[in-house]
PDB file of all heavy atoms in Angstrom:
ATOM      1  N   PHE A1295      13.379   2.427 -19.482  1.00 45.00           N
ATOM      2  CA  PHE A1295      13.298   3.805 -19.013  1.00 45.00           C
ATOM      3  C   PHE A1295      14.652   4.448 -19.188  1.00 45.00           C
ATOM      4  O   PHE A1295      15.688   3.786 -19.202  1.00 45.00           O
ATOM      5  CB  PHE A1295      12.892   3.858 -17.537  1.00 45.00           C
ATOM      6  CG  PHE A1295      13.869   3.150 -16.618  1.00 45.00           C
ATOM      7  CD1 PHE A1295      14.894   3.834 -16.008  1.00 45.00           C
ATOM      8  CD2 PHE A1295      13.756   1.793 -16.387  1.00 45.00           C
ATOM      9  CE1 PHE A1295      15.786   3.170 -15.179  1.00 45.00           C
ATOM     10  CE2 PHE A1295      14.645   1.127 -15.563  1.00 45.00           C
ATOM     11  CZ  PHE A1295      15.667   1.826 -14.962  1.00 45.00           C
ATOM     12  N   VAL A1375       7.282   3.595 -13.692  1.00 80.00           N
ATOM     13  CA  VAL A1375       7.758   2.781 -12.564  1.00 80.00           C
ATOM     14  C   VAL A1375       9.275   2.625 -12.576  1.00 80.00           C
ATOM     15  O   VAL A1375       9.948   2.823 -11.561  1.00 80.00           O
ATOM     16  CB  VAL A1375       7.086   1.393 -12.568  1.00 80.00           C
ATOM     17  CG1 VAL A1375       7.768   0.468 -11.575  1.00 80.00           C
ATOM     18  CG2 VAL A1375       5.616   1.509 -12.224  1.00 80.00           C
ATOM     19  N   GLY A1376       9.839   2.268 -13.717  1.00 81.00           N
ATOM     20  CA  GLY A1376      11.276   2.016 -13.771  1.00 81.00           C
ATOM     21  C   GLY A1376      12.096   3.229 -13.414  1.00 81.00           C
ATOM     22  O   GLY A1376      13.056   3.144 -12.629  1.00 81.00           O
ATOM     23  N   GLU A1377      11.738   4.373 -13.978  1.00 85.00           N
ATOM     24  CA  GLU A1377      12.500   5.590 -13.713  1.00 85.00           C
ATOM     25  C   GLU A1377      12.403   6.006 -12.253  1.00 85.00           C
ATOM     26  O   GLU A1377      13.388   6.420 -11.638  1.00 85.00           O
ATOM     27  CB  GLU A1377      11.996   6.715 -14.622  1.00 85.00           C
ATOM     28  CG  GLU A1377      12.826   7.983 -14.533  1.00 85.00           C
ATOM     29  CD  GLU A1377      12.449   9.006 -15.583  1.00 85.00           C
ATOM     30  OE1 GLU A1377      11.547   8.725 -16.390  1.00 85.00           O
ATOM     31  OE2 GLU A1377      13.065  10.087 -15.586  1.00 85.00           O
ATOM     32  N   LEU A1378      11.220   5.886 -11.676  1.00 89.00           N
ATOM     33  CA  LEU A1378      11.046   6.249 -10.269  1.00 89.00           C
ATOM     34  C   LEU A1378      11.813   5.302  -9.354  1.00 89.00           C
ATOM     35  O   LEU A1378      12.459   5.739  -8.393  1.00 89.00           O
ATOM     36  CB  LEU A1378       9.559   6.244  -9.911  1.00 89.00           C
ATOM     37  CG  LEU A1378       8.737   7.395 -10.503  1.00 89.00           C
ATOM     38  CD1 LEU A1378       7.253   7.122 -10.344  1.00 89.00           C
ATOM     39  CD2 LEU A1378       9.111   8.710  -9.835  1.00 89.00           C
ATOM     40  N   LEU A1379      11.751   4.009  -9.650  1.00 90.00           N
ATOM     41  CA  LEU A1379      12.482   3.054  -8.814  1.00 90.00           C
ATOM     42  C   LEU A1379      13.980   3.296  -8.861  1.00 90.00           C
ATOM     43  O   LEU A1379      14.679   3.146  -7.853  1.00 90.00           O
ATOM     44  CB  LEU A1379      12.171   1.618  -9.254  1.00 90.00           C
ATOM     45  CG  LEU A1379      10.883   1.006  -8.729  1.00 90.00           C
ATOM     46  CD1 LEU A1379      10.630  -0.335  -9.382  1.00 90.00           C
ATOM     47  CD2 LEU A1379      10.928   0.859  -7.211  1.00 90.00           C
ATOM     48  N   ALA A1380      14.486   3.650 -10.025  1.00 89.00           N
ATOM     49  CA  ALA A1380      15.924   3.884 -10.153  1.00 89.00           C
ATOM     50  C   ALA A1380      16.390   5.024  -9.255  1.00 89.00           C
ATOM     51  O   ALA A1380      17.570   5.096  -8.889  1.00 89.00           O
ATOM     52  CB  ALA A1380      16.281   4.172 -11.609  1.00 89.00           C
ATOM     53  N   GLN A1399       9.212  -7.147  -8.796  1.00 88.00           N
ATOM     54  CA  GLN A1399      10.191  -7.707  -9.731  1.00 88.00           C
ATOM     55  C   GLN A1399      11.169  -6.642 -10.203  1.00 88.00           C
ATOM     56  O   GLN A1399      12.383  -6.884 -10.239  1.00 88.00           O
ATOM     57  CB  GLN A1399       9.459  -8.310 -10.938  1.00 88.00           C
ATOM     58  CG  GLN A1399       8.726  -9.597 -10.619  1.00 88.00           C
ATOM     59  CD  GLN A1399       8.267 -10.327 -11.859  1.00 88.00           C
ATOM     60  OE1 GLN A1399       9.047 -10.613 -12.749  1.00 88.00           O
ATOM     61  NE2 GLN A1399       6.982 -10.634 -11.918  1.00 88.00           N
ATOM     62  N   GLU A1400      10.661  -5.471 -10.538  1.00 89.00           N
ATOM     63  CA  GLU A1400      11.558  -4.445 -11.051  1.00 89.00           C
ATOM     64  C   GLU A1400      12.467  -3.914  -9.949  1.00 89.00           C
ATOM     65  O   GLU A1400      13.638  -3.610 -10.187  1.00 89.00           O
ATOM     66  CB  GLU A1400      10.752  -3.306 -11.683  1.00 89.00           C
ATOM     67  CG  GLU A1400      11.591  -2.360 -12.525  1.00 89.00           C
ATOM     68  CD  GLU A1400      12.234  -3.046 -13.731  1.00 89.00           C
ATOM     69  OE1 GLU A1400      11.833  -4.171 -14.087  1.00 89.00           O
ATOM     70  OE2 GLU A1400      13.159  -2.445 -14.316  1.00 89.00           O
ATOM     71  N   ALA A1401      11.942  -3.818  -8.718  1.00 93.00           N
ATOM     72  CA  ALA A1401      12.781  -3.364  -7.608  1.00 93.00           C
ATOM     73  C   ALA A1401      13.950  -4.310  -7.381  1.00 93.00           C
ATOM     74  O   ALA A1401      15.103  -3.878  -7.227  1.00 93.00           O
ATOM     75  CB  ALA A1401      11.933  -3.243  -6.337  1.00 93.00           C
ATOM     76  N   LEU A1402      13.680  -5.617  -7.361  1.00 94.00           N
ATOM     77  CA  LEU A1402      14.765  -6.565  -7.139  1.00 94.00           C
ATOM     78  C   LEU A1402      15.759  -6.555  -8.281  1.00 94.00           C
ATOM     79  O   LEU A1402      16.973  -6.646  -8.057  1.00 94.00           O
ATOM     80  CB  LEU A1402      14.201  -7.966  -6.918  1.00 94.00           C
ATOM     81  CG  LEU A1402      13.971  -8.356  -5.446  1.00 94.00           C
ATOM     82  CD1 LEU A1402      12.966  -7.424  -4.774  1.00 94.00           C
ATOM     83  CD2 LEU A1402      13.508  -9.797  -5.327  1.00 94.00           C
ATOM     84  N   ARG A1403      15.278  -6.438  -9.512  1.00 91.00           N
ATOM     85  CA  ARG A1403      16.195  -6.362 -10.653  1.00 91.00           C
ATOM     86  C   ARG A1403      17.158  -5.180 -10.515  1.00 91.00           C
ATOM     87  O   ARG A1403      18.334  -5.269 -10.849  1.00 91.00           O
ATOM     88  CB  ARG A1403      15.409  -6.211 -11.948  1.00 91.00           C
ATOM     89  CG  ARG A1403      14.784  -7.479 -12.493  1.00 91.00           C
ATOM     90  CD  ARG A1403      14.253  -7.219 -13.889  1.00 91.00           C
ATOM     91  NE  ARG A1403      13.625  -8.392 -14.466  1.00 91.00           N
ATOM     92  CZ  ARG A1403      12.352  -8.461 -14.829  1.00 91.00           C
ATOM     93  NH1 ARG A1403      11.568  -7.404 -14.675  1.00 91.00           N
ATOM     94  NH2 ARG A1403      11.863  -9.560 -15.347  1.00 91.00           N
ATOM     95  N   LEU A1404      16.627  -4.050 -10.042  1.00 92.00           N
ATOM     96  CA  LEU A1404      17.429  -2.827  -9.943  1.00 92.00           C
ATOM     97  C   LEU A1404      18.233  -2.753  -8.649  1.00 92.00           C
ATOM     98  O   LEU A1404      19.014  -1.827  -8.467  1.00 92.00           O
ATOM     99  CB  LEU A1404      16.520  -1.607 -10.050  1.00 92.00           C
ATOM    100  CG  LEU A1404      15.845  -1.364 -11.403  1.00 92.00           C
ATOM    101  CD1 LEU A1404      14.861  -0.206 -11.300  1.00 92.00           C
ATOM    102  CD2 LEU A1404      16.883  -1.093 -12.482  1.00 92.00           C
ATOM    103  N   GLY A1405      17.993  -3.701  -7.735  1.00 94.00           N
ATOM    104  CA  GLY A1405      18.705  -3.654  -6.465  1.00 94.00           C
ATOM    105  C   GLY A1405      18.158  -2.598  -5.526  1.00 94.00           C
ATOM    106  O   GLY A1405      18.904  -2.006  -4.748  1.00 94.00           O
ATOM    107  N   ILE A1406      16.842  -2.361  -5.581  1.00 95.00           N
ATOM    108  CA  ILE A1406      16.192  -1.425  -4.663  1.00 95.00           C
ATOM    109  C   ILE A1406      15.581  -2.222  -3.521  1.00 95.00           C
ATOM    110  O   ILE A1406      14.758  -3.120  -3.753  1.00 95.00           O
ATOM    111  CB  ILE A1406      15.084  -0.617  -5.380  1.00 95.00           C
ATOM    112  CG1 ILE A1406      15.634   0.065  -6.632  1.00 95.00           C
ATOM    113  CG2 ILE A1406      14.466   0.401  -4.423  1.00 95.00           C
ATOM    114  CD1 ILE A1406      16.785   1.006  -6.374  1.00 95.00           C
ATOM    115  N   ALA A1453      19.723  -5.280  -1.320  1.00 95.00           N
ATOM    116  CA  ALA A1453      19.957  -4.945  -2.730  1.00 95.00           C
ATOM    117  C   ALA A1453      20.706  -6.072  -3.433  1.00 95.00           C
ATOM    118  O   ALA A1453      20.355  -6.489  -4.542  1.00 95.00           O
ATOM    119  CB  ALA A1453      20.721  -3.634  -2.842  1.00 95.00           C
ATOM    120  N   GLY A1456      18.460  -9.100  -3.742  1.00 94.00           N
ATOM    121  CA  GLY A1456      17.449  -8.883  -4.764  1.00 94.00           C
ATOM    122  C   GLY A1456      17.972  -9.168  -6.154  1.00 94.00           C
ATOM    123  O   GLY A1456      17.310  -9.834  -6.962  1.00 94.00           O
ATOM    124  N   ARG A1457      19.158  -8.662  -6.461  1.00 93.00           N
ATOM    125  CA  ARG A1457      19.735  -8.914  -7.793  1.00 93.00           C
ATOM    126  C   ARG A1457      19.975 -10.407  -7.997  1.00 93.00           C
ATOM    127  O   ARG A1457      19.733 -10.947  -9.083  1.00 93.00           O
ATOM    128  CB  ARG A1457      21.046  -8.137  -7.941  1.00 93.00           C
ATOM    129  CG  ARG A1457      20.875  -6.621  -7.948  1.00 93.00           C
ATOM    130  CD  ARG A1457      22.184  -5.927  -8.293  1.00 93.00           C
ATOM    131  NE  ARG A1457      22.100  -4.488  -8.102  1.00 93.00           N
ATOM    132  CZ  ARG A1457      22.530  -3.832  -7.035  1.00 93.00           C
ATOM    133  NH1 ARG A1457      23.098  -4.513  -6.029  1.00 93.00           N
ATOM    134  NH2 ARG A1457      22.418  -2.524  -6.952  1.00 93.00           N
ATOM    135  N   ALA A1460      16.597 -12.134  -8.587  1.00 90.00           N
ATOM    136  CA  ALA A1460      16.088 -11.837  -9.926  1.00 90.00           C
ATOM    137  C   ALA A1460      16.822 -12.631 -10.996  1.00 90.00           C
ATOM    138  O   ALA A1460      16.223 -13.030 -12.005  1.00 90.00           O
ATOM    139  CB  ALA A1460      16.195 -10.341 -10.210  1.00 90.00           C
TER     140      ALA A1460
END
Side-chain angles (χ1 to χ4, degrees):
F1295 60 93
V1375 169
E1377 186 171 0
L1378 288 167
L1379 278 173
Q1399 288 192 54
E1400 194 63 15
L1402 266 61
R1403 282 190 181 119
L1404 292 174
I1406 306 302
R1457 294 188 189 98

